[in-house]
Amino acid sequence: MQLKDIGEFGFIERIRPDCLIRPEGVVRAIGDDAAVFRSEGDRLTPVTTDMLVEKIHFLRDAVSGFTLGRKALAVNLSDIAAMGGTACQAFVSIAVPEACPVEYLEEIYRGMKHLAAEHGINILGGDTTGSKSDLVVNITVVGSVAESKILFRDAARIGDVVFSTGWLGDSRAGLHLISNRIAGDEDFLKALIEAHLSPQPCLREGRFLASFPATHAAIDVSDGLTADLGHIMENSRVGARLDIRRLPLSPELRCFCDRFALDPVEMALSGGEDYTLLVTVDPAGAGEIARQFEADFGRPLFAIGEITTTGILERMDPDGSLQRIVPAGWDHFRAG
Ligand SMILES: [Mg+2]
């Protein structure tokens, strides 16, 4: 059997048994954006880790060390954001092939430190080792969040409004440009490449949303809208309906899709790596939260759908018709 036969999530299910042998103090083990354990008083500690591997997640000749380092940290911060937390400490481990120059490694750390400084995060250590062929960067981030504020994937309730904190699909469009080596020589193309290479972790947005009791569940969009909403559905044992007319499609994505004859809705539904947050909010508080979000952040909080009793994911098309969607997205072992 190979990993591609069972997928990343099938593999996790196989290794999960017997991982938790001392459950005291563990609030969340495997299965959310971060693991969470109890620290002092009402404080909880979310911990997350993510690995970027050359030729799987990035091509060394297509990305600067600075951009790679920044993104490696950003994807971890996004998981802390999805818990409503503050990121505090980071640990960085790298496996370095002989041919990789020290200058490139220094640029990786410069990129990381740049983003870490923006969010007040220490880099406290890690490990450096050799690699036979590919560069590997693994980061672990330790955060902090009050127990009363933490957001999980399993807390969505029937009738909740589903929000996205930003555009969906831009990162996928940027990846298309990079993979096909299409020059981003116009502003809208540059913006899409930037969305893919330099995602902004929504830490402030996550804490803002977590401060309202009406906010129930959250996840960050790493695998793609339908895949990540699928995780909320599975963990919360609910269904969801996405309103296709209300998907947040950026003007840049629309231009890109016109130019390359691609479907922006498809990009937004299954693109991945947007690193916006999906949150589900009690409908009674949704309007006020969206209003305050827009006042605070100067951009809209996009209502894109609703949590339902159906147990399945559906899309409501502009003509009002409903179609079932099978949650899909990025699985590193299955992606071809
Ligand atoms: Mg996540």
Side-chain angles (χ1 to χ4, degrees):
M1 189 195 294
Q2 294 181 317
L3 268 177
K4 66 174 165 47
D5 301 325
I6 53 173
E8 182 176 355
F9 300 109
F11 177 66
I12 291 169
E13 285 315 309
R14 292 170 75 97
I15 56 162
R16 190 204 291 258
D18 304 325
C19 279
L20 188 64
I21 53 157
R22 189 180 49 77
E24 313 87 77
V26 179
V27 180
R28 272 294 187 287
I30 294 170
D32 213 301
D33 288 283
V36 179
F37 52 87
R38 195 171 297 284
S39 30
E40 276 175 46
D42 77 330
R43 300 305 291 184
L44 299 179
T45 301
V47 181
T48 184
T49 189
D50 255 291
M51 181 148 57
L52 295 186
V53 178
E54 187 175 353
K55 298 186 198 112
I56 301 281
H57 301 100
F58 65 93
L59 297 171
R60 198 159 18 117
D61 65 355
V63 62
S64 71
F66 183 91
T67 298
L68 176 61
R70 190 196 174 284
K71 184 165 179 178
L73 182 59
V75 301
N76 279 278
L77 300 188
S78 181
D79 278 326
I80 300 292
M83 312 302 290
T86 299
C88 305
Q89 326 290 356
F91 299 84
V92 182
S93 294
I94 51 172
V96 185
E98 235 170 71
C100 182
V102 171
E103 289 76 12
Y104 190 84
L105 302 179
E106 285 176 334
E107 279 297 295
I108 290 177
Y109 280 85
R110 198 169 69 80
M112 269 178 214
K113 289 176 194 170
H114 193 266
L115 185 62
E118 256 176 63
H119 293 281
I121 298 155
N122 298 314
I123 298 173
L124 289 186
D127 193 20
T128 307
T129 182
S131 166
K132 287 286 181 200
S133 60
D134 297 323
L135 178 65
V136 179
V137 182
N138 182 76
I139 302 186
T140 300
V141 172
V142 179
S144 177
V145 57
E147 185 166 16
S148 58
K149 300 282 165 60
I150 194 160
L151 299 174
F152 293 119
R153 296 176 177 183
D154 65 0
R157 296 182 207 169
I158 308 294
D160 277 1
V161 179
V162 180
F163 285 106
S164 168
T165 58
W167 306 119
L168 296 168
D170 284 14
S171 175
R172 182 65 187 78
L175 178 61
H176 178 93
L177 294 167
I178 295 165
S179 320
N180 292 289
R181 306 204 181 248
I182 299 167
D185 48 7
E186 291 166 78
D187 282 350
F188 76 100
L189 298 177
K190 278 185 198 145
L192 296 169
I193 291 172
E194 177 82 5
H196 182 73
L197 292 179
S198 299
Q200 298 295 336
C202 297
L203 282 161
R204 221 162 64 75
E205 291 87 339
R207 286 194 295 272
F208 171 88
L209 292 163
S211 71
F212 298 93
T215 303
H216 292 155
I219 191 168
D220 68 322
V221 181
S222 54
D223 296 337
L225 170 59
T226 64
D228 290 311
L229 187 53
H231 294 316
I232 286 187
M233 288 166 46
E234 198 182 329
N235 285 272
S236 301
R237 299 176 183 278
V238 293
R241 185 171 56 238
L242 288 169
D243 185 344
I244 294 302
R245 284 170 313 177
R246 301 180 78 178
L247 286 182
L249 307 175
S250 72
E252 291 81 6
L253 180 67
R254 290 174 190 275
C255 285
F256 164 88
C257 287
D258 281 347
R259 172 80 58 90
F260 297 99
L262 292 164
D263 179 8
V265 167
E266 203 41 54
M267 295 248 158
L269 289 175
S270 60
E273 295 204 62
D274 294 301
Y275 298 107
T276 64
L277 299 181
L278 289 185
V279 292
T280 82
V281 177
D282 189 310
E288 180 58 18
I289 291 178
R291 197 190 59 71
Q292 284 196 38
F293 183 97
E294 185 150 4
D296 262 48
F297 293 96
R299 56 192 168 80
L301 183 63
F302 299 102
I304 58 173
E306 193 182 321
I307 296 297
T308 64
T309 55
T310 59
I312 58 167
L313 180 58
E314 296 169 295
R315 55 184 279 176
M316 188 170 76
D317 281 306
D319 63 3
S321 66
L322 286 177
Q323 284 182 67
R324 183 170 184 176
I325 314 179
V326 177
W330 181 254
D331 186 321
H332 305 290
F333 301 107
R334 287 187 166 167

